[in-house]
Amino acid sequence: MRFRYATLTMFAAVITTPALADDGRAGGKLVLTDGITSVEGAAGGGLATWSLIAGNETDRGIGGTAHVTTVVLPDFTLTAVGGALGIRDRLELSYIRQSFDTRGAGAALGLGRGFRFEQDIYGIKARVVGDAIWDQDRWLPQIAIGMQHKVAKKGAVVRAIGATRASGTDFYMSATKLFLAQGIMAGATIRVTKANQFGLLGQGDRRSVQFEGSLGKLFAHNLLVGGEYRTKPDNLDFARESDAFDAFAAWGIHRNITLTAAYVDLGDIATVKRQRGAFLQLQGGF
């Protein structure tokens, strides 16, 4: 009780400062501390998964998010829609459907102009220790473990271009910490995966350990600006898979609506060079 009282007292002092006066979300989480939605459907940044749980719920309720995302690159376009359910700020269930339009590059790759790779991703994440917001007097981050089962459509095509199979499962451990006094959010994720291009091009024949890192600064209670870096496997024989990074700004335009824009660099995709462009996402939550 003494620890909880001290934490609540400190928190009350923080949110009554001018910059953070409106941080409280009517009985729910602080603005933006439910994350946005990553390209694979879990709460996090655009590229990286965070240990935060989706939705505006506290440990006494149920919340959720729904989103639409587009990534526009010079030669490709990725669109995604999905949602996530957060249960008592402890468990997250997510689903996302991705569609990757090859546009004119599809013809050059022998697939036909406008050929689309599609994928369903089913995810589960559980917070196992720590609290990214309330444990301000400790350095312990919030840690979560999770898995994502990826099912690429057009199985015959992804096998023809070098995938071992069309479906597979990623496993990850994520740590996230919000330093309220400094307005800094930091995160790191270790992922074990066989996925080619996030799974859109199927799965490789061996698992590898990959890293996802995030760092952001709260410039206002509803504006988070930062960047992410993510390593990826390199399982395809015909093309090297590049690491990815982004620079993003997430704006909580309402306590239930978040708009995110980012510059994203996905490197080379399927022999097509320098795929750099824009990430845009609109997310609603409760």
Side-chain angles (χ1 to χ4, degrees), residues 51-53 127 129-133 140-144 174-177:
S51 64
L52 303 178
I53 302 297
R127 177 165 63 94
V129 68
D131 190 301
I133 293 87
L140 178 70
Q142 179 169 315
I143 298 174
S174 182
T176 306
K177 183 72 173 178

Side-chain angles (χ1 to χ4, degrees), residues 36-254:
I36 65 168
T37 304
S38 74
V39 291
E40 290 154 309
L47 290 175
T49 296
W50 299 350
S51 64
L52 303 178
I53 302 297
N56 190 32
E57 81 287 346
T58 66
D59 59 2
R60 300 179 181 180
I62 295 176
T65 59
H67 74 95
V68 57
T69 302
T70 185
V71 182
V72 182
L73 304 170
D75 297 283
F76 306 102
T77 302
L78 173 70
T79 56
V81 294
L85 185 69
I87 302 171
R88 296 184 177 274
D89 199 29
R90 179 67 63 177
L91 182 68
E92 175 184 298
L93 305 174
S94 63
Y95 166 77
I96 191 171
R97 161 58 73 93
Q98 300 173 329
S99 178
F100 187 69
D101 188 347
T102 62
R103 296 179 3 220
L109 294 170
L111 300 170
R113 184 179 182 85
F115 181 87
R116 292 175 181 265
F117 291 96
E118 296 180 328
Q119 179 175 218
D120 294 323
I121 303 178
Y122 306 87
I124 183 170
K125 181 200 300 181
R127 177 165 63 94
V128 294
V129 68
D131 190 301
I133 293 87
W134 289 105
D135 286 343
Q136 289 297 303
D137 61 342
R138 298 194 295 173
W139 283 89
L140 178 70
Q142 179 169 315
I143 298 174
I145 58 174
M147 57 185 292
Q148 293 171 330
H149 184 62
K150 302 179 175 183
V151 183
K153 308 302 180 182
K154 316 284 179 57
V157 176
V158 298
R159 291 186 185 91
I161 63 176
T164 303
R165 54 178 57 87
S167 64
T169 303
D170 289 4
F171 301 91
Y172 64 86
M173 176 178 289
S174 182
T176 306
K177 183 72 173 178
L178 173 62
F179 301 94
L180 273 174
Q182 296 80 22
I184 299 291
M185 180 174 287
T189 296
I190 298 297
R191 180 181 296 266
V192 180
T193 181
K194 296 190 291 185
N196 303 320
Q197 295 294 353
F198 305 107
L200 282 160
L201 302 187
Q203 305 284 316
D205 59 0
R206 64 185 183 277
R207 294 190 183 276
S208 60
V209 178
Q210 304 297 326
F211 172 78
E212 304 166 23
S214 305
L215 184 64
K217 168 69 175 175
L218 282 164
F219 286 93
H221 75 275
N222 63 345
L223 178 62
L224 178 67
V225 177
E228 300 174 293
Y229 180 79
R230 176 168 178 165
T231 66
K232 294 191 292 175
D234 190 17
N235 294 322
L236 293 172
D237 292 334
F238 79 97
R240 179 181 177 273
E241 186 166 349
S242 305
D243 296 342
F245 69 86
D246 69 19
F248 68 87
W251 176 32
I253 60 179
H254 182 272

Side-chain angles (χ1 to χ4, degrees), residues 251-266:
W251 176 32
I253 60 179
H254 182 272
R255 68 187 184 92
N256 301 113
I257 302 174
T258 303
L259 178 65
T260 303
Y263 166 80
V264 61
D265 187 340
L266 298 181

